[in-house]
């Protein structure tokens, strides 16, 4: 029905369009921005020099991403769409890569199923619309894995090795934990056991269970030579990222809030590994065998190795957050696609016409089952808080001459994202602005000076966290703020919206 060339274009294109549609659905999240995205927003609005100054103190691991977003904000202006569209586009690229991999390794139905599955995974749907770098890392992981498979099939040239090394390095500069993709790729290299012979490059969709003739071209190269070239590319990538890794160690206090690893934290990853393992078993039993690595040899290491690596690192220093290995879910999607490909071929042998409808039926059932999750991910309640909602409360309650306090000082991100809402208010605790101090939250004055400034004002707006997410005051400044407000002021209005609390205090008579 379709030529092999047409299918090679249609499969990844359909996956990318599907994922883009999921990403554009509810993109503004009811015009909400939470604290992690607020960090991106406020840093991206700074000048390049101010960003560089900031990276010397905090968030150097996100430096490349901040510079990218700075450029986009300069071109298009700040907004929720500009903040999140790079993640949507990146996830669409990742889905296209999964689809191309699945098509090449396990047939067109496996490719289409895997590419569609990626955007439906709950964790992917969360970061699909997130103004942070994790989706971009996933896109890079997809591209580098696709390049690796091309090289393993013997169709690569020097430019492919350069592109592979550069893509891995770029991912490492966005998040150096993504370098765990290298041991995953090494395991794929070992499991494939290939010597660079050609692979199938496309299939005719004459029927769901009957792939067409291979269209690849031959190539040769010893496995030892392939391993040496891979090692050289990997070393070059690591060398590019190593300075960032070493420098970021001086900022390790930024992740001190991550809790130690516990057994219950491993339940979710264990379920993912079980699902991926089942897909790998089905792929190994599949009659579809391309002249290259199998889907299991590519997908299972990509899923398992980063998770195991993160567990190992977390035993030394707590780092276990799923977003750090989001890219590993490309392996899960690939294995799900391989299982779907086996199912389509099995059904098609008995009911040829039914094979065409199996994938749409699976997608429809999965979409209905995951609809509550999808709706929840697109709700402001899916995040800890909403800085824009708090800014709206400040805009409504303020009067000229009022003062404003932030507790803790990190809640100053509300003003940094929406400065117009705070116009006419005096930030009485601030000694040096975040931009001048090269920090995310600025430098506040000594407690005695803050106390004296508070007592000179009749009305003070306090921006803080709601009780459900707040923590006890950790600094002398915050304890003093709370004490002065309790002893010398009374609450006039108290609003709590989406994790943020704005309280208007008035001086006692």
């Amino acid at each position: 029905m379709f030529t092999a060339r047409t299918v090679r274009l249609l499969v990844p294109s359909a996956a990318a369009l599907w994922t883009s549609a999921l990403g554009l659905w509810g993109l503004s999240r009811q015009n909400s921005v939470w604290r992690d995205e607020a960090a991106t927003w406020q840093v991206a609005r700074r000048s390049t020099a101010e960003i560089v100054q900031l990276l010397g103190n905090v968030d150097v691991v996100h430096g490349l991403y901040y510079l990218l977003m700075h450029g986009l904000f300069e071109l298009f202006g700040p907004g929720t769409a500009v903040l999140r569209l790079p993640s949507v586009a990146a996830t669409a690229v990742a889905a296209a890569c999964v689809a191309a991999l699945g098509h090449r390794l396990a047939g067109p139905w496996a490719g289409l199923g895997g590419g569609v599955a990626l955007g439906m995974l709950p964790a992917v749907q969360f970061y699909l619309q997130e103004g942070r770098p994790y989706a971009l890392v996933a896109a890079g992981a997809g591209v580098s894995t696709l390049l690796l498979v091309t090289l393993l099939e013997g169709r690569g040239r020097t430019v492919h090795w350069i592109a592979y090394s550069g893509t891995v390095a770029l991912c490492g500069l966005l998040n150096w934990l993504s370098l765990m993709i290298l041991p995953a790729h090494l395991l794929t290299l070992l499991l494939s056991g290939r010597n660079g012979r050609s692979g199938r490059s496309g299939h005719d969709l004459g029927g769901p269970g009957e792939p067409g003739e291979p269209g690849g071209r031959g190539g040769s190269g010893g496995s030892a030579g392939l391993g040496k070239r891979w090692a050289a590319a990997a070393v070059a990538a690591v060398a590019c990222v190593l300075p960032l890794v070493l420098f970021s160690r001086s900022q390790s206090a930024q992740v001190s809030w991550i809790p130690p690893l516990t057994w219950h934290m491993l339940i979710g990853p264990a379920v993912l590994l079980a699902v991926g393992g089942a897909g790998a078993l089905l792929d190994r039993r599949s009659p579809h065998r391309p002249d290259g690595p199998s889907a299991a040899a590519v997908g299972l290491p990509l899923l398992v190795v980063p998770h195991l690596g993160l567990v190992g690192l977390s035993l030394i220093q707590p780092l276990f957050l799923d977003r750090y290995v989001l890219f590993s879910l490309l392996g899960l999607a690939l294995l799900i696609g391989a299982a779907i490909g086996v199912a389509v071929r099995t059904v098609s042998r008995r009911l040829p016409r039914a094979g065409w409808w199996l994938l749409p039926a699976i997608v429809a059932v999965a979409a209905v089952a995951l609809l509550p999750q999808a709706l929840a991910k697109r709700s402001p309640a899916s995040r800890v808080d909403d800085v824009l909602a708090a800014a709206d409360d400040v805009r409504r309650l303020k009067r000229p001459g009022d003062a404003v306090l932030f507790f803790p000082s990190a809640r100053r991100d509300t003003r940094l994202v929406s400065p117009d809402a705070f116009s006419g208010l005096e930030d009485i605790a601030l000694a040096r602005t975040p931009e001048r101090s090269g920090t995310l939250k600025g430098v506040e004055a000594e407690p005695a000076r803050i106390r004296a400034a508070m007592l000179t004002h009749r009305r003070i707006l306090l921006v803080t966290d709601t009780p459900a997410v707040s923590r006890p005051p950790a600094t002398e400044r915050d304890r003093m703020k709370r004490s002065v407000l309790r002893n010398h002021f009374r609450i006039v209005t108290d609003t709590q919206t989406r994790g943020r609390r704005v309280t208007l205090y008035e001086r006692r008579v």
Side-chain angles (χ1 to χ4, degrees):
M1 184 178 295
F2 298 110
T3 66
R5 181 181 180 86
T6 301
V7 174
R8 282 200 305 272
L9 294 174
L10 281 178
V11 169
S13 298
L17 288 172
W18 167 264
T19 307
S20 297
L22 289 175
L24 295 175
W25 170 33
L27 182 63
S28 72
R29 212 160 53 236
Q30 299 178 34
N31 196 39
S32 64
V33 172
W34 76 298
R35 61 183 63 177
D36 279 20
E37 292 181 309
T40 300
W41 188 306
Q42 60 136 316
V43 174
R45 295 186 65 172
R46 302 185 188 188
S47 68
T48 303
E50 289 170 341
I51 294 174
V52 172
Q53 181 190 7
L54 170 77
L55 300 181
N57 299 317
V58 293
D59 265 4
V60 68
V61 292
H62 299 311
L64 180 60
Y65 177 71
Y66 286 155
L67 291 171
L68 168 65
M69 294 307 299
H70 168 73
L72 293 176
F73 273 30
E74 284 289 305
L75 285 173
F76 304 106
T80 55
V82 179
L83 180 70
R84 295 175 185 145
L85 278 175
S87 291
V88 175
T91 309
V93 170
C97 289
V98 170
L101 284 165
H103 180 201
R104 187 179 296 182
L105 302 176
W109 292 104
L112 189 56
V116 168
L118 179 68
M120 299 179 70
L121 297 174
V124 174
Q125 290 212 42
F126 187 96
Y127 294 104
L128 171 63
Q129 298 178 330
E130 185 83 346
R132 299 298 280 173
Y134 309 109
L136 277 69
V137 173
V143 172
S144 64
T145 304
L146 191 57
L147 287 167
L148 177 70
V149 169
T150 299
L151 293 162
L152 289 176
E153 291 175 338
R155 296 187 295 162
R157 299 178 180 176
T158 301
V159 67
H160 291 88
W161 285 111
I162 295 173
Y164 173 79
S165 183
T167 304
V168 173
L170 186 62
C171 288
L173 294 174
L174 287 168
N175 175 13
W176 60 259
L177 286 172
S178 68
L179 291 177
M180 286 189 289
I181 200 172
L182 288 174
H185 283 174
L186 175 60
L187 184 55
T188 293
L189 188 66
L190 297 174
L191 289 175
S192 66
R194 299 291 175 177
N195 60 359
R197 288 160 48 188
S198 66
R200 297 179 187 267
S201 65
H203 303 284
D204 185 350
L205 265 180
E210 298 295 332
E213 294 302 313
R217 60 182 180 81
S220 64
S223 58
L226 187 67
K228 289 180 181 178
R229 289 191 290 273
W230 177 87
V235 168
V238 172
C240 291
V241 182
L242 187 59
L244 173 65
V245 176
L246 296 176
F247 187 81
S248 67
R249 296 299 300 157
S250 64
Q251 300 178 2
S252 60
Q254 280 193 276
V255 293
S256 61
W257 61 271
I258 301 177
L261 184 67
T262 58
W263 287 109
H264 79 273
M265 296 167 67
L266 300 177
I267 295 175
V271 172
L272 297 180
L273 298 185
V275 173
L281 288 175
L282 288 173
D283 178 67
R284 290 182 64 84
R285 295 176 182 177
S286 168
H288 181 93
R289 290 266 74 85
D291 298 328
S294 66
V298 175
L300 198 59
L302 184 56
L303 173 63
V304 174
V305 172
H307 278 97
L308 293 181
L310 189 60
V311 168
L313 288 175
S314 297
L315 296 176
I316 301 171
Q317 177 179 342
L319 286 172
F320 198 83
L321 294 176
D322 61 351
R323 61 195 184 202
Y324 292 155
V325 290
L326 180 72
F327 64 90
S328 68
L329 296 185
L330 274 67
L332 176 62
L334 178 60
L335 294 168
I336 291 173
I340 290 174
V342 172
V344 170
R345 284 190 293 272
T346 301
V347 171
S348 297
R349 283 197 294 268
R350 299 180 180 180
L351 302 168
R353 292 186 178 181
W356 286 95
W357 296 101
L358 184 60
L359 177 58
I362 292 173
V363 172
V365 171
V368 171
L370 294 172
L371 183 59
Q373 283 271 356
L375 293 173
K377 295 290 187 290
R378 288 161 177 81
S379 166
S382 64
R383 270 64 173 180
V384 173
D385 55 12
D386 178 7
V387 300
L388 296 183
D392 288 340
D393 290 335
V394 169
R395 186 182 286 108
R396 177 173 53 86
L397 295 172
K398 72 177 182 177
R399 291 181 186 172
D402 286 350
V404 63
L405 283 174
F406 300 93
F407 171 68
S409 59
R411 298 295 78 81
R412 189 169 279 108
D413 57 1
T414 312
R415 181 179 70 81
L416 297 172
V417 171
S418 301
D420 292 346
F422 290 80
S423 61
L425 298 179
E426 182 182 356
D427 190 347
I428 54 177
L430 189 63
R432 296 179 64 200
T433 66
E435 295 83 359
R436 292 187 61 188
S437 61
T439 62
L440 290 172
K441 54 190 177 183
V443 176
E444 295 195 335
E446 294 301 314
R449 293 189 59 183
I450 297 175
R451 182 181 188 277
M454 292 175 67
L455 294 176
T456 63
H457 284 79
R458 180 172 172 270
R459 287 165 41 106
I460 295 177
L461 282 164
L462 176 67
V463 180
T464 185
D465 297 316
T466 59
V469 298
S470 64
R471 297 181 180 180
T475 66
E476 181 62 30
R477 291 181 179 87
D478 289 339
R479 286 189 287 270
M480 184 277 307
K481 293 174 190 175
R482 174 176 288 185
S483 175
V484 172
L485 289 172
R486 182 183 296 124
N487 295 327
H488 298 277
F489 291 80
R490 66 181 182 88
I491 295 177
V492 176
T493 304
D494 186 21
T495 61
Q496 300 182 34
T497 309
R498 300 174 183 172
R500 291 280 168 115
R501 183 178 188 179
V502 178
T503 307
L504 174 61
Y505 287 87
E506 193 172 79
R507 186 74 182 272
R508 297 181 189 274
V509 179

